[in-house]
Amino acid sequence: MSVLFISALAAAASATDLPVKIVPIGFAGPLSEINARNGRNAAILAIEEINKGVPRINGQAVIFELVEQDDKADPRIAEYIARYFAGSKAIGVVGHWTSNATVAAAPIYNEAGMAQVSPASWSRGFTEKSFKTAFQILGTDDAGLAYAADYLVREQQLKRVFVLDDGAYLGTSMADYLSAHVKAAGGEIVYRTSVNGKTSDFNAPLQKAQQVKPDLIFFSGRVIQSDVLARNLHRFNLSAKLLITGSVVTGNFLRNAEKINISLMAILPSTPMEKRPGVVALQKKYMERFNMEMLPFAAYAYDSVHVLVAAAKKANSLDRGKIVDALHEIKYSGITGTISFDANGTLLKPAYTLYSMEQQKWVPLRVFTAK
């Protein structure tokens, strides 16, 4: 147990004559990756803040405890972890981090009647199966790409689009959605292909791009591949703009920005974080607690913990089923925005931001908000 956890336990014990109940909340993600570790840290920060208030559920003093598991972004490991949490005393799970792991684990949590709040997976596939226990704190990739495609094709006149993905679940589905929305907006998919999710060799697809001369190249894959692609595009003398996805709007990505001399854009399922006072304050607390930069999606892990606890308080119960019911009714004011869900667990009124890299800085180009 951490010093902070023991202190919270002591504070709760001194505030009541009743025994203090320790209540686990699960966290699952690929903890060897910096984005998921950032999310785990933000979840810990949320737990610590909640425990300082000496919370009570149905008159019982409780202390929440984060129980973390490393799913290594592997769907099979995610399923194993989901079964572990289902058989544990955890009241819900914040996870998983990647869409393939999140989707793989969802039916197991649903069978257990256990809330699964994903802080980083924005695949439409997570909630489209209508699992009662699945909650998506981000807008979906399908909707975000519809906004981006319509704007880029109709307003920016980027009609000839080259679509590239990493062959993984999320990369392929996002490429499918983008392709459909480009066509709906009056654009043309001039070429569509996939690369291995671990490759750093983009020579073959970029040679093809030289031949078909697109206005826009779209790539959906892991951040490390987006970085390699962006830094190598200029070697092929392509005038096309590049649109990428994922956790790229970060200082870490910008450290290589001086090597990027192309027109680069990124689409994210959020409003600009720097314009939200609560996020700025959280970034400061995060730096003080962990002595490192807080990456954007960590704020959603922080809010995921808070909304799960808020549902337990609303239900006035630690019963999993009652917490799930409360999540379907909740309207929570989080630091990332107002959080409430439709019948499928999809975030209501999500927002998306299309960023452009200008002078080695990410600048919001257009914000799209669902009506």
Side-chain angles (χ1 to χ4, degrees), residues 180-193:
H181 295 310
V182 164
K183 293 174 184 176
E188 176 189 2
I189 304 302
V190 295
Y191 194 71
R192 166 77 188 274
T193 191

Side-chain angles (χ1 to χ4, degrees), residues 77-366:
I77 297 176
E79 290 172 354
Y80 176 83
I81 288 171
R83 285 190 286 271
Y84 163 75
F85 279 135
S88 74
K89 295 183 179 180
I91 60 169
V93 172
V94 174
H96 294 227
W97 201 260
T98 58
S99 289
N100 58 349
T102 301
V103 172
I108 298 170
Y109 293 123
N110 187 62
E111 186 177 352
M114 184 179 198
Q116 177 192 10
V117 184
S118 178
S121 301
W122 59 314
S123 170
R124 193 186 75 178
F126 175 41
T127 53
E128 70 179 357
K129 295 181 180 179
S130 302
F131 291 134
K132 186 179 180 181
T133 56
F135 297 92
Q136 196 160 30
I137 205 168
L138 301 169
T140 66
D141 51 357
D142 187 14
L145 290 169
Y147 287 120
D150 191 73
Y151 170 74
L152 293 171
V153 173
R154 297 183 191 273
E155 295 192 36
Q156 295 294 313
Q157 294 295 299
L158 304 175
K159 293 183 177 294
R160 293 173 53 78
V161 182
F162 184 107
V163 178
L164 180 64
D165 65 68
D166 66 354
Y169 175 86
L170 182 62
T172 302
S173 63
M174 291 184 78
D176 288 340
Y177 295 142
L178 189 280
S179 298
H181 295 310
V182 164
K183 293 174 184 176
E188 176 189 2
I189 304 302
V190 295
Y191 194 71
R192 166 77 188 274
T193 191
S194 299
V195 295
N196 185 284
K198 297 181 180 179
T199 190
S200 59
D201 182 2
F202 289 91
N203 288 328
L206 291 179
Q207 285 169 357
K208 185 64 179 181
Q210 281 183 317
Q211 297 172 19
V212 298
K213 295 180 172 55
D215 301 318
L216 175 70
I217 296 174
F218 172 76
F219 175 64
S220 180
R222 306 302 288 274
V223 173
I224 189 170
Q225 287 185 302
S226 295
D227 177 68
V228 172
L229 177 60
R231 285 188 286 113
N232 282 276
L233 207 65
H234 72 278
R235 293 191 298 109
F236 292 83
N237 297 314
L238 290 163
S239 60
K241 295 184 177 182
L242 176 63
L243 173 63
I244 54 179
T245 66
S247 303
V248 294
V249 183
T250 66
N252 188 56
F253 190 92
L254 288 173
R255 290 185 183 98
N256 290 320
E258 71 277 3
K259 301 174 185 177
I260 298 173
N261 54 3
I262 60 167
S263 183
L264 181 62
M265 296 177 290
I267 180 72
L268 261 68
S270 69
T271 54
M273 289 293 187
E274 64 275 11
K275 295 186 178 180
R276 290 191 170 275
V279 173
V280 173
L282 178 61
Q283 288 171 330
K284 182 179 179 181
K285 288 187 288 187
Y286 186 99
M287 176 62 76
E288 291 172 352
R289 173 71 171 84
F290 299 105
N291 194 32
M292 63 187 300
E293 174 191 9
M294 189 188 86
L295 302 179
F297 281 100
Y300 289 96
Y302 176 88
D303 267 359
S304 294
V305 170
H306 273 287
V307 78
L308 189 56
V309 172
K313 290 180 177 179
K314 178 179 175 64
N316 198 28
S317 174
L318 297 175
D319 178 82
R320 289 176 176 177
K322 292 180 180 179
I323 291 172
V324 169
D325 289 340
L327 280 168
H328 278 286
E329 299 172 356
I330 206 161
K331 187 173 184 180
Y332 177 78
S333 181
I335 63 164
T336 59
T338 300
I339 301 169
S340 56
F341 307 98
D342 68 12
N344 290 333
T346 304
L347 181 70
L348 291 173
K349 297 184 178 180
Y352 308 86
T353 303
L354 182 66
Y355 285 87
S356 174
M357 184 179 285
E358 299 176 10
Q359 298 180 339
Q360 285 72 55
K361 293 182 180 179
W362 285 113
V363 178
L365 180 62
R366 182 63 66 93

